[in-house]
Amino acid sequence: MAEIIQRDGTWHFDGETVRIVPGRGKGIHPLRQELGERAVPLRALAGISFEPDRKGGRLRLRLRDGACPVLRAADGRLKDAADPYQLTVEKDRSGVAEYFADEVRDALRIEQVPTGAVDGFLLPGPAVPVAGGGGDGTASFDGETVRLTWNWKAKEVKTSGGPVAFPVSEVTGVHWMPAIGLENGHLRFVRGGGPAASAPEAEYDPYSLDLWGLSKKEYTAVLVAAAVLVRLPDAAGRAPAAVPAASPAAPAELAAPASDDHDVLLRRLRELGELHRSGVLTDDEFAAAKQAVLKRL
């Protein structure tokens, strides 16, 4: 077991799941606060790293491609501060962060978790009802119906028709793009068979929000996109609406641990003792971590 508690949040690893609880307060990005606690199963992870710097560093989980609907909806466009799978580490806890990363890496190695893409989501989408947006309006989703409401900054083509509501069964695609530089972003819902490229610009499209990038709060629109995304069939016609039960393991996943896993765990015990003697780990942290390693032995 490993745990690191920071102002930015708390990460806990029990050997099977990394549980992430975001911090609270002005310094925490609204997207992470709105998304809330995440439980990331070991089989959803491709790796973990600790990136030290002069102020401390950053813990970063790397998820398998397709495992998380939020990351799928964001498509690599999240800033570090908004990424729910990163943790800012203070300087005096760098040793604990290194230990945490080592514990997850050892578990991935022992369990022989593959690093390739997955066929369906291994994490749930954001809890519904969910709402987000900015710019010229707000999008909300209750699990069945998407609603777009406009504010005073919306174009007349939108406000004249009033709020828009449509069932998720009519949605064939959803696309989120944050504002970048002087370019506005958008949250666009595609209905029917028409390609998104043929739709009007977001500020004139009654099925899109125009995102201006004037507030971090606009990033919460990606949570609406993710909640809708998990309820859409994918390109192959498989619907990953719910988190699937564990699928039959591949041969590599069923294989026995490598012959040197015993040595790995013994080395971990020695490292724990060194961290405890140097004061990096408290008595309680050392006892809990040692017990977790002995259990795996």
Side-chain angles (χ1 to χ4, degrees):
M1 182 176 70
E3 184 175 67
I4 180 167
I5 302 173
Q6 297 290 272
R7 287 192 294 267
D8 198 39
T10 298
W11 285 18
H12 175 88
F13 179 56
D14 62 4
E16 297 179 352
T17 303
V18 177
R19 190 166 300 278
I20 297 173
V21 180
R24 292 291 171 185
K26 310 194 271 194
I28 310 303
H29 197 284
L31 187 151
R32 293 172 55 209
Q33 290 187 345
E34 292 292 333
L35 182 60
E37 184 174 327
R38 303 293 279 168
V40 185
L42 196 64
R43 64 194 178 99
L45 293 178
I48 184 172
S49 62
F50 174 60
E51 303 164 1
D53 59 34
R54 60 186 180 83
K55 294 183 178 180
R58 184 178 297 273
L59 266 175
R60 191 188 304 264
L61 284 181
R62 184 164 58 89
L63 273 64
R64 296 171 65 187
D65 187 30
C68 174
V70 176
L71 295 187
R72 170 89 59 90
D75 195 22
R77 302 185 182 98
L78 287 182
K79 295 180 179 179
D80 284 351
D83 190 335
Y85 305 112
Q86 296 189 34
L87 179 72
T88 300
V89 177
E90 296 154 29
K91 192 170 185 178
D92 64 344
R93 304 307 280 168
S94 294
V96 178
E98 291 275 16
Y99 167 70
F100 189 100
D102 284 345
E103 283 291 286
V104 175
R105 275 194 290 264
D106 285 350
L108 289 170
R109 178 184 175 187
I110 291 170
E111 297 299 327
Q112 298 190 28
V113 177
T115 59
V118 298
D119 291 332
F121 296 125
L122 299 180
L123 282 86
V128 292
V130 60
D136 63 355
T138 299
S140 62
F141 179 55
D142 62 6
E144 296 181 357
T145 303
V146 178
R147 291 180 173 83
L148 302 175
T149 57
W150 315 116
N151 59 34
W152 65 272
K153 294 173 282 189
K155 297 290 186 183
E156 186 178 356
V157 67
K158 291 182 174 181
T159 58
S160 62
V164 174
F166 47 90
V168 69
S169 59
E170 294 182 2
V171 179
T172 56
V174 58
H175 185 258
W176 173 81
M177 172 73 76
I180 301 175
L182 299 178
E183 294 292 327
N184 287 2
H186 61 259
L187 173 62
R188 185 186 303 277
F189 297 95
V190 182
R191 300 167 69 241
S198 64
E201 293 185 13
E203 61 182 331
Y204 299 105
D205 182 5
Y207 300 108
S208 299
L209 289 185
D210 193 24
L211 304 178
W212 299 353
L214 300 179
S215 167
K216 290 181 181 179
K217 193 75 172 175
E218 285 191 11
Y219 265 76
T220 56
V222 75
L223 301 182
V224 181
V228 171
L229 186 63
V230 298
R231 291 164 174 82
L232 302 183
D234 65 11
R238 297 182 297 271
V243 180
S247 57
E253 294 174 290
L254 291 173
S259 60
D260 62 344
D261 286 340
H262 188 268
D263 293 336
V264 170
L265 295 175
L266 289 176
R267 186 172 70 249
R268 172 61 60 229
L269 284 174
R270 289 194 294 271
E271 292 171 349
L272 285 173
E274 293 171 1
L275 290 170
H276 182 231
R277 285 191 294 274
S278 64
V280 172
L281 293 179
T282 65
D283 290 345
D284 289 343
E285 289 171 336
F286 172 68
K290 179 180 176 182
Q291 184 61 36
V293 174
L294 290 174
K295 182 178 180 181
R296 284 156 60 184
L297 269 172

